[in-house]
Amino acid sequence: MSQGQGPARVRVTAPRTRAVVARSRFSVSRELAEQSELGEMFVRSLMRSQLRLALVVAGGFALILLGVPALMLLFPSINNMTVFTVPLPWVLLGAAIYPVIIICAALYNRAAARNEHRFRQLVDDGRSPRPVWTADPE
């Protein structure tokens, strides 16, 4: 470097990549954690969907359960039928209703898990995978 010249010039430029502007991302989990009005709305929505599902399943089950006595009223000859010396109405109400209960419970469980899975997908925001204890209903 000579005395007449100053320090060497340095060229300063912006980076070649485009800078990503940090945006405030909408986070459902943050809304839930802060117990904001929006977070409460999401929880109420989940509760409403679970209640609606429970009422539909209970109504369908009640309809089936009340359908057996209605069937006996419409067709009185059913009251005289027997299955291995057991009256048919007893068989229908005492034994045949249990598979119906199991099917209703399985359908309810699957649909409730699907509702919770959708809510969990909404809340997780894709940050960290959480263990899923039930099979994914699809």
Side-chain angles (χ1 to χ4, degrees):
M1 187 163 36
S2 65
Q3 278 188 336
Q5 293 179 342
R9 294 179 66 180
V10 177
R11 185 178 201 182
V12 178
T13 61
R16 300 239 179 231
T17 60
R18 291 185 178 187
V20 178
V21 178
R23 298 179 199 162
S24 62
R25 223 175 102 195
F26 171 75
S27 172
V28 176
S29 59
R30 189 182 82 213
E31 296 290 337
L32 290 174
E34 292 176 356
Q35 296 180 349
S36 69
E37 192 173 316
L38 183 61
E40 288 179 16
M41 182 195 69
F42 281 118
V43 172
R44 279 194 311 266
S45 173
L46 174 65
M47 290 171 58
R48 267 196 316 270
S49 68
Q50 295 292 56
L51 177 63
R52 187 179 321 116
L53 174 64
L55 291 176
V56 166
V57 171
F61 178 71
L63 188 65
I64 291 170
L65 192 61
L66 294 175
V68 173
L71 184 69
M72 287 182 250
L73 285 174
L74 291 174
F75 302 103
S77 61
I78 292 176
N79 293 331
N80 299 328
M81 294 181 184
T82 59
V83 177
F84 300 113
T85 70
V86 178
L88 183 61
W90 286 25
V91 172
L92 289 175
L93 291 174
I97 202 69
Y98 289 104
V100 174
I101 291 171
I102 291 170
I103 290 170
C104 286
L107 290 174
Y108 173 79
N109 192 23
R110 183 176 178 184
R114 186 180 325 120
N115 284 346
E116 291 172 6
H117 180 71
R118 288 178 183 157
F119 183 75
R120 196 177 318 115
Q121 281 180 331
L122 178 69
V123 170
D124 279 347
D125 293 333
R127 287 180 297 173
S128 61
R130 295 167 92 176
V132 178
W133 301 107
T134 59
D136 285 339
E138 297 203 34

